[in-house]
Amino acid sequence: MKVSKIKGTLDYFGNNIEKYRYIEDTARKISKEFGYEEIQTPVFEATEVFARGVGEGTDIVNKEMYTFLDRSNKSITLRPEGTAGVSRAYVENKMYANQGLTKLFYFEQMFRCERPQAGRYRQFTQFGIEALGTSSAYLDADVIYFGYCFLHRLGIDKVKVKINTLGSSDGRKKYEEALKEYFSLHISDMCEDCKTRLQKNPLRILDCKVDAKNRIMDNAPKIMDYLNEEDQAYFKKVLTCLDALGVKYEVDQKLVRGLDYYNNTVFEFIYDDENSSINNLAILAGGRYNGLAKAFDGPDTQAIGFASGVERLMLVLDELNLFKTSQVKSDIVVINIGEDTKLKALELVSYLRKAGKSVEMDYVSSSLKPQFKLADRLGAPYLIIIGEEEVLNGTFKLKNTTLKTESIYKIEKLNEVFNIEGEKYAYKK
Ligand code: HAM
């Protein structure tokens, strides 16, 4: 039976898994530097967590969730994003009792039943951060700066930062009403999805891909005209902080984001290279979500965060040729000459591995050509060669493949040659 992977999923191996781990290592390192601690939440949650958290009017909840009934007829959903689960965990584990700011990061798989295309998968990984417990323009800028530094650390600088504010609930409500009024006059000239959005979530009309260039969009009401003074001042302060931190951004009043929980600051980092097929791909996005913990019966919590799509970062690293697989897969290859020395080779390999060295051997062949080929493929800088003569004399031959030098050592010198401490090679002739 021939079976294939599910559409929109990936197998990770070879260069790809190395790239993936490189991004993960970078994410973990920078999270530590910015003072974020790891959280892992379950891969699946009760469906309400996302329906209530992400919002009933969103594409994610309406069209993209992997939802099923478990054996006790409970509706379960594979997480489509991290923020709702983290907020549920924050409330359930009373993390708010610590007072002040709780700073968490995750590096986890998400699942969305989207139409697969370049950079859009059904199983993908997000590196996300969430800072819960404080509202401050300084923190908003700090979170955006974190995203900026993370991409910079990976070497990705072809990035445009888009930023907007959705205001707090009052202003946002007024704005939604104004949008509803405006778009209902023009809706017959807009796409089918926008017709549904008009009823359910008029904000989302603004980031409709189909109607993006429709001139009706240009004259739509602008959020800034509906925000109260406090929200406007808050946004201004975020921008002032970003200026001070040297983060270049573009205020985009059409940026509304596809999740319902946002208020005030929202932002997106997109890949910016007109000549590339992945131009405009969103590689990191987030915003403030002050009401979410309360929706889970927690305290009124101010929070902000972002998530970055790891597979999209992998595409960008490829595009910019920023990641090279390490050429050295093994530091030492032990080569034996003649069938009788195979066991000696295995003993040596085992000893060196126990001492923490990365060593390989050819288990099958005792002729030289395939063994040298293996050493070459693994890019080994050192070869240890042992033949019957070496076994008799209690020696080994060491070849430095970079300097192209060759020396013979007494086996007692093995530890010294490879800087091994605390182990002893019991050499038997
Ligand atoms: P989001 O914009 O839905 O936000 O996703 C964040 C990032 O995840 C996107 O910018 C993109 O890089 C990546 N991503 C999303 N969908 C896919 C997909 N189908 N395939 C590959 N990558 C994808 C959120 O998920 C929010 N929870 C972010 C957040 C955290 N807001 C506050 N805290």
Side-chain angles (χ1 to χ4, degrees):
M1 184 178 66
K2 185 174 178 277
V3 283
S4 331
K5 60 184 180 316
I6 302 287
K7 246 191 312 23
T9 63
L10 297 167
D11 294 318
Y12 300 79
F13 58 94
N15 172 281
N16 252 12
I17 192 77
E18 282 189 37
K19 211 180 302 158
Y20 184 92
R21 295 290 176 222
Y22 162 67
I23 295 170
E24 180 172 2
D25 290 348
T26 309
R28 287 181 180 283
K29 190 161 182 291
I30 199 163
S31 294
K32 193 157 193 262
E33 290 161 11
F34 275 75
Y36 286 73
E37 287 178 15
E38 184 168 10
I39 181 166
Q40 283 188 10
T41 58
V43 170
F44 53 83
E45 299 257 8
T47 300
E48 307 90 90
V49 171
F50 307 111
R52 224 191 298 169
V54 177
E56 305 273 5
T58 60
D59 282 356
I60 294 182
V61 171
N62 284 330
K63 304 187 199 160
E64 295 168 4
M65 296 205 305
Y66 282 98
T67 297
F68 56 95
L69 291 179
D70 73 1
R71 286 172 193 272
S72 56
N73 267 349
K74 191 172 167 47
S75 181
I76 301 286
T77 295
L78 297 186
R79 66 176 167 229
E81 59 96 55
T83 313
V86 168
S87 299
R88 194 264 316 132
Y90 175 80
V91 173
E92 191 170 341
N93 297 292
K94 298 192 172 54
M95 292 184 207
Y96 48 81
N98 299 339
Q99 289 169 353
L101 196 55
T102 302
K103 290 160 73 176
L104 302 167
F105 84 89
Y106 48 89
F107 195 96
E108 294 190 312
Q109 269 78 43
M110 308 293 159
F111 305 85
R112 293 184 193 177
C113 194
E114 294 196 79
R115 192 178 310 150
Q117 59 187 66
R120 180 167 296 155
Y121 307 99
R122 292 183 166 173
Q123 176 180 325
F124 60 99
T125 312
Q126 281 186 343
F127 163 48
I129 67 158
E130 312 292 353
L132 303 109
T134 302
S135 180
S136 155
Y138 298 109
L139 175 63
D140 292 21
D142 193 47
V143 164
I144 295 170
Y145 188 65
F146 186 141
Y148 171 85
C149 286
F150 170 58
L151 298 178
H152 180 74
R153 190 75 62 91
L154 292 172
I156 302 173
D157 46 14
K158 289 186 173 178
V159 172
K160 195 183 274 174
V161 182
K162 292 185 171 185
I163 184 165
N164 193 20
T165 175
L166 301 177
S168 46
S169 61
D170 251 17
R172 182 175 163 161
K173 241 183 226 140
K174 277 192 211 140
Y175 182 52
E176 279 172 343
E177 277 158 22
L179 285 178
K180 222 170 187 169
E181 203 178 310
Y182 172 78
F183 283 120
S184 44
L185 299 175
H186 305 280
I187 199 68
S188 53
D189 297 327
M190 303 188 77
C191 76
E192 284 310 305
D193 276 348
C194 280
K195 287 179 183 135
T196 319
R197 286 177 189 131
L198 181 66
Q199 300 312 320
K200 287 195 168 170
N201 196 350
L203 262 184
R204 291 285 300 173
I205 296 180
L206 292 177
D207 69 353
C208 172
K209 302 279 176 291
V210 181
D211 278 317
K213 296 220 161 75
N214 193 329
R215 286 187 50 204
I216 295 165
M217 293 288 194
D218 298 337
N219 299 322
K222 301 279 181 288
I223 180 85
M224 290 304 168
D225 301 329
Y226 296 84
L227 296 186
N228 60 32
E229 274 176 26
E230 196 185 325
D231 286 343
Q232 289 199 20
Y234 188 95
F235 188 52
K236 244 191 193 156
K237 201 161 172 187
V238 175
L239 300 184
T240 309
C241 293
L242 290 178
D243 288 336
L245 299 178
V247 179
K248 291 205 174 61
Y249 55 82
E250 188 182 295
V251 175
D252 178 357
Q253 291 209 53
K254 285 199 196 125
L255 182 70
V256 291
R257 308 275 299 119
L259 306 100
D260 271 358
Y261 47 62
Y262 289 119
N263 36 59
N264 293 98
T265 316
V266 287
F267 55 89
E268 236 170 53
F269 288 54
I270 59 171
Y271 183 61
D272 184 28
D273 180 359
E274 277 183 10
N275 299 318
S276 160
S277 61
I278 54 167
N279 186 31
N280 280 333
L281 191 68
I283 50 178
L284 186 150
R288 185 158 274 290
Y289 54 95
N290 289 340
L292 190 51
K294 209 171 173 193
F296 297 129
D297 289 342
D300 199 1
T301 304
Q302 327 269 314
I304 183 167
F306 71 67
S308 178
V310 174
E311 289 73 10
R312 291 191 182 181
L313 296 175
M314 288 163 71
L315 286 180
V316 173
L317 291 185
D318 283 347
E319 187 78 7
L320 297 173
N321 210 5
L322 284 172
F323 181 79
K324 301 247 181 325
T325 309
S326 153
Q327 295 304 307
V328 178
K329 307 257 188 249
S330 201
D331 291 333
I332 310 162
V333 168
V334 177
I335 289 173
N336 68 299
I337 305 172
E339 188 61 41
D340 294 347
T341 49
K342 198 63 130 184
L343 182 59
K344 282 278 163 275
L346 180 65
E347 281 174 15
L348 210 51
V349 166
S350 306
Y351 171 78
L352 289 166
R353 281 184 180 154
K354 187 163 175 253
K357 304 291 163 190
S358 124
V359 199
E360 268 305 337
M361 66 179 279
D362 185 327
Y363 298 98
V364 181
S365 186
S366 291
S367 48
L368 283 181
K369 208 169 160 195
Q371 295 190 75
F372 277 117
K373 223 169 164 183
L374 173 76
D376 206 36
R377 185 164 61 76
L378 298 175
Y382 292 103
L383 308 182
I384 294 178
I385 301 165
I386 40 170
E388 278 161 18
E389 200 184 320
E390 280 79 16
V391 174
L392 265 177
N393 298 337
T395 57
F396 67 95
K397 194 184 276 175
L398 182 73
K399 220 174 169 170
N400 182 323
T401 59
T402 323
L403 301 176
K404 311 239 178 300
T405 53
E406 218 175 84
S407 337
I408 292 183
Y409 292 98
K410 277 281 189 203
I411 198 76
E412 292 79 15
K413 292 274 174 199
L414 189 68
N415 280 5
E416 201 178 305
V417 170
F418 290 106
N419 291 321
I420 296 170
E421 281 172 22
E423 296 282 341
K424 196 161 176 0
Y425 184 54
Y427 184 71
K428 298 177 240 90
K429 275 193 187 165

